[in-house]
Amino acid sequence: MKKIDIFKKLRSSGLRPTKQRVEIAKFLFERDKTFHFTIESLDKLLAKKTTSRFALATIYNTVHAFKNAGHLSEVDVRGKKTYFDTNITNHHHFYDNETLELIDIDASEVVIQKIPKAPNGKKIKNVEVFINLKN
Amino acid sequence: MKKIDIFKKLRSSGLRPTKQRVEIAKFLFERDKTFHFTIESLDKLLAKKTTSRFALATIYNTVHAFKNAGHLSEVDVRGKKTYFDTNITNHHHFYDNETLELIDIDASEVVIQKIPKAPNGKKIKNVEVFINLKN
DNA sequence: ATTCTAGTTTATAATTATTCTAAAGAGAAA
DNA sequence: TTTCTCTTTAGAATAATTATAAACTAGAAT
Ligand SMILES: [Mn+2]
Ligand SMILES: [Mn+2]
Ligand SMILES: [Zn+2]
Ligand SMILES: [Zn+2]
C-alpha cells in the first residue's frame, strides 16, 4: 500500500492524517503478509523501526480508530492483552501456544460440515475456528 | 453431585476441603447444566445464594485451584474478564453478543470436513469453534 | 500568510481486572 | 492438645487499558 493510499484510507474514515497516524498506518498496512500484534508489541516495534516518539495513549487511540474504521480487527486470544489483526477478512487462526503467535487460515481452507442451528430468535453472525498448536 | 463427592474431588486434587472451597464447589458443581461465569459474576452469585462471606482473593484462588486441578476450564471471550466453564469436556460455544452469554455446543454437534495441516514441526492440540450470535 | 477552530497528541491520573503479601485463622497429622 | 502446614483475608501492588486536560497541529477561513 502506497503512502497516498494511506492518506485516502484515513480521510475516508474521517481520520486526519496526522504524523502519528500516518507512521503507524504505514507500519501496519504497508506489508504483504497479515500482521498480528498487541499494543505493547506495536509500541516496541515502532520504537525500533521509526525515529518518532509515540505516547502509549496515542498508540491505543490510533489502533482503536483504525479498528473502528474497519481497518483492523480484534482476535480473542487467551491472556490479558488484546490482539489486533491487519487481516479484516473472515478468516481463522492457528495459535502457537509456545511462541504465542497467531497464524492466519483463509476461510476457504476450513470447511464445516455441520453446526447446530442458532438458538431461538438468534442468528449466526460468524463462525470462528481457533486451532491451538503444540510442539 | 453430592457433598461427599465434592470432598473427594477436592482431596483427590490435593485441595483441602475448607469451608470456602466446599461452598464454592457446591455452588459450581451441584447443577445439571454447564455453567459459565466470571470471577465477578461468581462473587455476586455467591453473595446472593450463600450466607458466608468470601474475600475476592479467595474466589480467585479457589477458582484457579479448581482450574489447575482440572475441574474448571477457561474460555476465550472478547473482553477484559476471564470466563470460566464447569464443562471440562472438549466442546464448542455459541456466544450471544447481546446478552454476553456463552452456550455450550457438544463436540459431536460440530463436524469439520477440512482444516489445513499444522505448520512444520507443530501439532494440532485442539480445535475450538466459536459461533457469534446476533439477534 | 495569518488566524481560527476542531481534532489530536501527550503526560499523567484514574480505572479495572488480577495477583501478591503477610498476618491471622483453620485443617489435620502426630 | 500441640504443632505444622495450608488457607483465608484485607489491603497493597501490578498490568492493561481508558480518561483527563493542557499543549499542539492540520486544515479551513480570513
Ligand atoms: Mn483475550
Ligand atoms: Mn478474553
Ligand atoms: Zn488473522
Ligand atoms: Zn462451555
Side-chain angles (χ1 to χ4, degrees):
Chain A
M1 176 170 288
K2 288 284 154 44
K3 191 172 183 177
I4 186 75
D5 296 316
I6 295 279
F7 271 69
K8 275 186 196 163
K9 175 182 277 197
L10 294 182
R11 287 220 182 292
S12 68
S13 307
L15 300 174
R16 281 190 188 171
T18 62
K19 175 164 157 279
Q20 287 80 359
R21 283 181 183 154
V22 171
E23 284 231 59
I24 294 175
K26 285 172 64 180
F27 182 77
L28 292 178
F29 304 123
E30 287 183 347
R31 45 178 83 223
D32 295 324
K33 285 163 294 178
T34 189
F35 179 53
H36 301 97
F37 63 94
T38 65
I39 298 293
E40 189 191 19
S41 72
L42 178 58
D43 182 40
K44 283 180 182 158
L45 291 168
L46 285 171
K48 258 191 232 166
K49 301 279 178 179
T50 78
T51 58
S52 315
R53 308 282 315 287
F54 300 85
L56 199 54
T58 298
I59 301 180
Y60 274 99
N61 288 343
T62 301
V63 167
H64 281 119
F66 287 156
K67 190 197 156 198
N68 292 336
H71 302 315
L72 289 175
S73 62
E74 199 179 319
V75 187
D76 289 322
V77 178
R78 184 117 58 214
K80 291 160 224 162
K81 294 180 204 162
T82 302
Y83 278 72
F84 295 92
D85 191 340
T86 59
N87 185 344
I88 54 174
T89 70
N90 254 35
H91 66 289
H92 307 289
H93 293 99
F94 282 122
Y95 183 62
D96 188 326
N97 284 82
E98 317 296 329
T99 65
L100 307 184
E101 280 176 325
L102 288 163
I103 302 167
D104 272 357
I105 301 173
D106 194 82
S108 65
E109 291 182 71
V110 173
V111 177
I112 296 171
Q113 194 170 66
K114 175 189 170 194
I115 50 170
K117 59 176 184 300
N120 255 347
K122 301 286 173 180
K123 289 179 180 176
I124 288 176
K125 186 177 167 194
N126 76 318
V127 178
E128 296 174 41
V129 176
F130 195 84
I131 307 179
N132 285 98
L133 297 176
K134 59 183 173 183
N135 287 331
Chain B
M1 179 169 287
K2 290 283 153 45
K3 189 171 185 179
I4 185 76
D5 296 317
I6 296 280
F7 271 71
K8 274 188 196 160
K9 176 184 275 198
L10 295 182
R11 288 223 179 289
S12 67
S13 307
L15 301 173
R16 280 188 189 172
T18 61
K19 176 164 156 277
Q20 287 82 358
R21 283 180 183 154
V22 171
E23 284 232 58
I24 295 175
K26 284 173 66 180
F27 183 77
L28 292 178
F29 304 123
E30 288 183 349
R31 43 178 85 224
D32 296 323
K33 286 164 294 180
T34 186
F35 179 54
H36 301 97
F37 63 94
T38 64
I39 297 293
E40 190 191 18
S41 71
L42 178 58
D43 182 39
K44 284 179 181 159
L45 291 169
L46 285 170
K48 257 191 233 169
K49 301 279 177 180
T50 78
T51 59
S52 315
R53 309 283 315 287
F54 300 86
L56 199 53
T58 299
I59 301 181
Y60 274 99
N61 288 343
T62 302
V63 166
H64 281 119
F66 288 156
K67 191 197 153 197
N68 292 335
H71 301 314
L72 289 174
S73 64
E74 199 179 319
V75 186
D76 289 322
V77 178
R78 185 116 61 214
K80 291 159 222 161
K81 294 180 205 161
T82 302
Y83 278 70
F84 296 91
D85 192 340
T86 59
N87 185 342
I88 55 174
T89 69
N90 254 36
H91 67 288
H92 308 288
H93 293 97
F94 282 121
Y95 183 62
D96 188 325
N97 285 83
E98 319 294 329
T99 65
L100 308 184
E101 281 177 324
L102 288 164
I103 302 167
D104 273 357
I105 301 173
D106 194 83
S108 65
E109 293 183 70
V110 173
V111 177
I112 296 171
Q113 193 170 66
K114 175 189 169 193
I115 50 171
K117 60 177 183 297
N120 254 346
K122 300 286 174 180
K123 290 179 180 175
I124 289 175
K125 187 177 165 193
N126 75 318
V127 178
E128 296 174 40
V129 175
F130 196 83
I131 305 179
N132 285 98
L133 296 175
K134 58 182 174 186
N135 286 332

